[in-house]
Amino acid sequence: MSPAIVVSNLKKYFKVHKKEPGLAGSVKSLFKREYEETRAVDNISFWIEEGELVGFIGPNGAGKTTTLKCLSGLLYPSSGQVSVLGSNPYGRKNEFLKQISLVMGQKNQLWWELPAIETFILNKEIYEIPESEYEETLNELVELLEVKDILKIQVRKLSLGQRMKCELVAALLHKPKVLFLDEPTIGLDIVSQKKMRDFIKEYNRLKKSTIILTSHYMDDVKELCQRVIIIDKGKLIFDGQLSEITEKYADHKIISVIFSKDVDPKKLEQIGEVRSYSFPKATFAVKRGAVSVAAAELLQHYPIADLNIEEVPIEDVIREVFTGKDVA
Amino acid sequence: MRKYFSLFLISLQEYFTYRLSFVLWRVRSLVSFLVLLFFWLAVYSQTSSFAGYQKSQMFTYVIGVAFLRGLIFATRSNVLASWIRDGGLNIILIRPLSVFKVLLSRDLADKLLNVGFVILEIFLIAKIFNLSLFLPKSFLTIVCFLIFLALAFFLNFFISIVISLTAFWTDDIWAVRFLFGVIFLELFSGALFPIDILPGGLKNVLFWTPFPYLVYFPLKVWLGQANRGEITRIILVCAAWTILFLWLAKRLWDKGYKEYGAYGG
């Protein structure tokens, strides 16, 4: 079986016009424009198997969305090859477009002034979905997302969460084999985020469709994706199992203790790097190899009520990866 | 084809929800119609013939302008420029749709509404001012006029698309649109006055631009002021302009799509 998505040496550079601040800068830019090249995506390669659910993570402006746009045919790559389901997305062939879908958290395809059901019916025609298949898929999605009651309400009167659900229905009616989700949970409250995640997980399990998800929320990625691709400043810096990130980048673990009596903070420095101490709780960052020694030391020489050894939270690892620690 | 028909229908539905803006647009058209009408009423109160136009011919011309404004000028295709700038185009590009055909479907919906109202307005005004309309004598003239309307419709559509497509390269698209879409379109198309009342030199220059083919020439045909040879020639030239702008629109699209930034979202 050939992979659903193959990306090799993808580059997308943008020419950006730089303007000095203020009116003077605007006038100056009338006569002389300075352009700067930004490397939104800089030589990225990866491939994704059919049915995989992969998370793209990276800070704002890292190049996640640009990559998705190249994969869905919105952007013309500066160089490199992209193949999705065996086609070049940029060709915009109808047979290809009928098999993919892109959901953007900040852009809607629903007709703002009309009820969502109108967009669904329009999509039925656009994707040339047979009537019976349309009915079946619609009922299934409406049930899964619990949107039965809001289909006939004008879209602009819906809440953001309701709208996103309807966006998903619209995007999935034609049963895409490849689904790109760009920040699908952005702006949603915690309950709606959770529901959205549950749905995506369930959908991937049931339909075996290939899904790429970008998100700022680590919870999305932690819950949904086994494999993650981390992009920063246009470069791919990690591609692998979520669990490997911690092993690869966190060279220490966290020991947290609850003391039963006050201790001298100065003495604690000997155990390891003190991350925080306010009686009765203290946390230490300790090198992987030295964890058991440090824990034994604590237990033997200090009044301990409770002690825990934990991995560094994935959020922290990724933050460290992004904030300059050279990881290459 | 069915998908574009559905788009046409849903666009109609959408336009109905923007009732106020539609009514205001009609008021605007009606005002420019009335201004033109009063001007020529004043002129013809002194004389019965002006620059070779009989009174009924001139009023037919003015009414014809109002009709063609609704049918030809009124276009929503300029929305393409904002789609390019704010990334709204993404929603179309991601689906099995042709951008030009989407715009055409939406435009047709818009025209249907506009033309419906224009005919109603013209009827009322002709009654109120007791205007007699000049009707072509031969059926062939009417057929030629209809062919012309179709060509002029597409010509204006593709000119508008070409202007909108410049948004791929420039941010201040409104300047281009103002020059072509307002100055050239209003003055050079014959929408304010029949072009042949202008001095010969200027008139001949204008005949080398595509604009007179949108309003002036179709109305000349309707008024029976063009013979067979002329009619054939203007239809061919109009077709040539239409094909040129269609070709230009396709070229610019192919080039622009590579530059497209797909901003937003």
Side-chain angles (χ1 to χ4, degrees):
Chain A
M1 194 168 59
S2 63
I5 297 172
V6 183
V7 174
S8 47
N9 305 314
L10 176 68
K11 288 182 186 171
K12 179 69 192 177
Y13 296 173
F14 289 110
K15 237 171 46 175
V16 186
H17 151 221
K18 259 175 65 172
K19 186 181 92 64
E20 281 165 36
L23 183 61
S26 301
V27 174
K28 204 178 141 196
S29 78
L30 273 179
F31 301 102
K32 195 171 163 239
R33 293 213 165 179
E34 278 171 40
Y35 288 96
E36 199 174 63
E37 199 176 54
T38 42
R39 304 179 166 200
V41 175
D42 196 9
N43 210 3
I44 281 182
S45 303
F46 60 86
W47 49 273
I48 292 173
E49 291 290 352
E50 222 178 288
E52 259 191 294
L53 202 172
V54 178
F56 265 27
I57 43 182
N60 284 330
K64 308 179 297 270
T65 304
T66 307
T67 309
L68 278 197
K69 285 174 177 168
C70 288
L71 289 177
S72 51
L74 295 180
L75 287 178
Y76 185 75
S78 302
S79 76
Q81 267 83 49
V82 177
S83 160
V84 177
L85 299 167
S87 317
N88 174 6
Y90 191 74
R92 290 196 69 235
K93 291 204 190 66
N94 279 356
E95 309 86 78
F96 166 72
L97 292 171
K98 280 184 185 177
Q99 296 186 61
I100 66 159
S101 208
L102 167 70
V103 179
M104 286 177 281
Q106 289 161 317
K107 269 261 139 55
N108 37 328
Q109 65 155 308
L110 298 171
W111 290 60
W112 194 242
E113 299 293 339
L114 303 174
I117 188 81
E118 298 284 353
T119 306
F120 302 161
I121 295 169
L122 180 66
N123 274 9
K124 181 184 87 181
E125 300 296 339
I126 289 176
Y127 290 101
E128 289 157 341
I129 310 166
E131 184 69 38
S132 58
E133 192 185 315
Y134 164 79
E135 291 290 338
E136 196 183 308
T137 319
L138 181 66
N139 287 338
E140 192 184 350
L141 290 170
V142 163
E143 202 140 300
L144 269 171
L145 285 160
E146 301 162 3
V147 288
K148 200 175 176 42
D149 302 331
I150 56 172
L151 293 182
K152 289 180 183 161
I153 300 175
Q154 247 187 345
V155 169
R156 67 189 171 101
K157 291 186 179 138
L158 300 179
S159 72
L160 182 64
Q162 291 172 324
R163 217 168 70 215
M164 273 315 291
K165 286 177 175 177
C166 291
E167 283 286 337
L168 269 180
V169 176
L172 297 174
L173 280 172
H174 61 289
K175 301 186 186 162
K177 284 195 183 141
V178 173
L179 178 60
F180 303 111
L181 298 170
D182 191 20
E183 311 275 357
T185 56
I186 200 158
L188 298 183
D189 63 53
I190 295 178
V191 180
S192 308
Q193 278 184 22
K194 174 89 175 85
K195 280 198 179 145
M196 195 61 85
R197 280 199 288 271
D198 290 345
F199 171 77
I200 295 167
K201 203 175 197 169
E202 186 68 3
Y203 188 82
N204 174 252
R205 195 181 63 82
L206 288 174
K207 307 284 177 193
K208 307 275 181 283
S209 47
T210 313
I211 301 178
I212 299 187
L213 168 107
T214 77
S215 184
H216 288 306
Y217 303 115
M218 273 315 293
D219 283 344
D220 287 352
V221 179
K222 270 200 301 203
E223 244 191 72
L224 292 173
C225 314
Q226 293 183 327
R227 175 176 165 199
V228 292
I229 290 177
I230 304 181
I231 297 176
D232 191 23
K233 300 186 186 88
K235 292 196 186 302
L236 188 150
I237 55 179
F238 178 85
D239 176 3
Q241 298 294 307
L242 190 63
S243 53
E244 289 169 18
I245 298 181
T246 329
E247 285 163 32
K248 186 167 173 191
Y249 293 116
D251 55 358
H252 54 270
K253 285 192 173 191
I254 302 290
I255 301 180
S256 54
V257 291
I258 307 283
F259 294 110
S260 51
K261 269 190 232 150
D262 209 348
V263 290
D264 179 8
K266 281 215 179 102
K267 278 171 80 182
L268 292 178
E269 306 272 349
Q270 295 159 7
I271 309 289
E273 186 195 334
V274 182
R275 282 280 171 92
S276 69
Y277 176 55
S278 68
F279 182 77
K281 198 173 184 316
T283 53
F284 305 88
V286 182
K287 293 271 181 215
R288 277 181 188 277
V291 170
S292 47
V293 178
E297 173 80 9
L298 276 165
L299 288 169
Q300 274 173 21
H301 299 107
Y302 293 87
I304 302 289
D306 190 15
L307 182 143
N308 272 303
I309 303 171
E310 293 149 358
E311 288 286 2
V312 181
I314 187 91
E315 286 88 345
D316 293 359
V317 180
I318 287 167
R319 196 181 312 126
E320 278 177 22
V321 171
F322 290 150
T323 49
K325 277 202 169 179
D326 201 6
V327 287
Chain B
M1 224 51 239
R2 258 190 77 173
K3 50 182 150 182
Y4 298 106
F5 183 65
S6 303
L7 252 168
F8 168 82
L9 291 180
I10 203 170
S11 301
L12 266 182
Q13 276 193 58
E14 189 198 35
Y15 298 155
F16 273 120
T17 61
Y18 295 113
R19 272 167 304 187
L20 181 64
S21 92
F22 182 76
V23 167
L24 291 181
W25 167 254
R26 287 309 330 152
V27 168
R28 197 197 118 160
S29 315
L30 197 61
V31 167
S32 68
F33 178 26
L34 285 174
V35 167
L36 210 55
L37 195 69
F38 289 140
F39 174 78
W40 289 113
L41 274 173
V43 170
Y44 280 97
S45 65
Q46 311 288 330
T47 169
S48 66
S49 163
F50 181 85
Y53 282 82
Q54 297 297 317
K55 192 176 175 186
S56 80
Q57 284 181 317
M58 187 55 89
F59 283 105
T60 306
Y61 190 91
V62 171
I63 287 171
V65 167
F67 176 68
L68 292 183
R69 269 181 195 276
L71 183 71
I72 310 224
F73 279 15
T75 177
R76 297 239 175 185
S77 50
N78 47 21
V79 71
L80 177 60
S82 43
W83 283 353
I84 291 170
R85 292 195 52 184
D86 64 20
L89 195 55
N90 295 354
I91 290 157
I92 296 173
L93 287 179
I94 195 71
R95 296 192 277 171
L97 289 171
S98 139
V99 176
F100 288 1
K101 286 181 190 159
V102 168
L103 289 167
L104 192 63
S105 316
R106 286 175 68 75
D107 228 23
L108 284 173
D110 185 62
K111 307 242 165 176
L112 185 76
L113 278 183
N114 270 297
V115 168
F117 277 84
V118 164
I119 290 174
L120 196 73
E121 289 161 21
I122 289 176
F123 181 76
L124 282 176
I125 286 179
K127 271 266 169 286
I128 293 169
F129 292 92
N130 195 22
L131 302 171
S132 59
L133 287 183
F134 183 92
L135 295 174
K137 290 183 186 61
S138 82
F139 181 68
L140 192 67
T141 312
I142 298 182
V143 172
C144 287
F145 180 71
L146 290 179
I147 294 175
F148 224 136
L149 284 191
L151 282 173
F153 165 81
F154 281 105
L155 178 56
N156 185 65
F157 178 73
F158 287 116
I159 289 177
S160 170
I161 298 265
V162 165
I163 295 171
S164 297
L165 285 172
T166 56
F168 278 125
W169 298 275
T170 172
D171 285 342
D172 34 21
I173 163 92
W174 70 269
V176 185
R177 186 165 290 287
F178 185 72
L179 184 66
F180 284 94
V182 180
I183 309 254
F184 288 3
L185 210 59
E186 290 288 330
L187 289 178
F188 300 168
S189 65
L192 291 179
F193 46 80
I195 291 172
D196 53 1
I197 66 172
L198 289 173
L202 190 54
K203 189 173 77 182
N204 288 334
V205 172
L206 290 191
F207 286 168
W208 283 99
T209 69
F211 303 103
Y213 294 89
L214 298 173
V215 172
Y216 173 74
F217 283 126
L219 290 177
K220 287 300 261 191
V221 171
W222 179 268
L223 289 172
Q225 292 181 344
N227 62 35
R228 257 189 212 181
E230 281 170 333
I231 292 179
T232 320
R233 191 181 56 85
I234 34 193
I235 285 188
L236 286 178
V237 175
C238 186
W241 276 117
T242 311
I243 292 166
L244 178 76
F245 274 95
L246 165 68
W247 175 81
L248 202 60
K250 287 208 155 151
R251 281 284 322 251
L252 286 178
W253 170 261
D254 286 342
K255 272 186 106 66
Y257 180 25
K258 288 192 181 176
E259 304 270 333
Y260 181 51
Y263 308 108

